[in-house]
Amino acid sequence: MKEEIVLNPDESFEYVKSNVKEGDTLELSYNRVFAPGEVLGIKVEEDLGEELVIVSLHLNGDIVNDVVRVTLNDIRDDLLEICHITEDKETLIVIEE
């Protein structure tokens, strides 16, 4: 089942915190980067009163298949789409300010 929703960046961070689990696939599209990978973990930290959402991904590319940590707050202004894929469902989150 496919679903498409439109969220602002803050709402998309809340979606990631609430719905994305280890083992899911997350595809981040930001600026000119497309980073698909298996979610290894989601961490929420506080830095100077700001809540940071950090996603650890094992990239599933043919050339690049490293583990990366992406702080969503750092790519907030460049974030275009987030695709969340589970065994049952695919949710495309279109980011609009």
Side-chain angles (χ1 to χ4, degrees):
M1 178 167 141
K2 284 188 175 186
E3 176 184 14
E4 183 175 319
I5 55 178
V6 177
L7 300 175
N8 68 39
D10 294 329
E11 293 168 333
S12 69
F13 296 171
E14 286 300 320
Y15 175 93
V16 169
K17 290 187 322 188
S18 301
N19 298 293
V20 178
K21 308 291 183 232
E22 288 183 24
D24 291 353
T25 298
L26 205 61
E27 299 174 347
L28 301 174
S29 296
Y30 58 98
N31 200 353
R32 292 185 174 157
V33 176
F34 176 68
E38 178 183 345
V39 176
L40 299 177
I42 297 175
K43 189 175 182 182
V44 178
E45 294 182 355
E46 184 119 355
D47 184 33
L48 300 173
E50 180 182 12
E51 184 178 80
L52 302 178
V53 180
I54 303 165
V55 178
S56 296
L57 294 174
H58 181 234
L59 298 178
N60 58 11
D62 292 334
I63 297 172
V64 178
N65 57 7
D66 290 338
V67 173
V68 296
R69 289 181 56 184
V70 178
T71 303
L72 295 181
N73 306 67
D74 290 347
I75 62 171
R76 182 186 199 285
D77 294 335
D78 297 321
L79 196 57
L80 304 171
E81 292 179 347
I82 300 172
C83 187
H84 175 217
I85 303 168
T86 65
E87 290 180 13
D88 304 326
K89 187 176 178 182
E90 181 176 330
T91 304
L92 177 64
I93 302 164
V94 178
I95 310 298
E96 288 188 3
E97 193 59 45

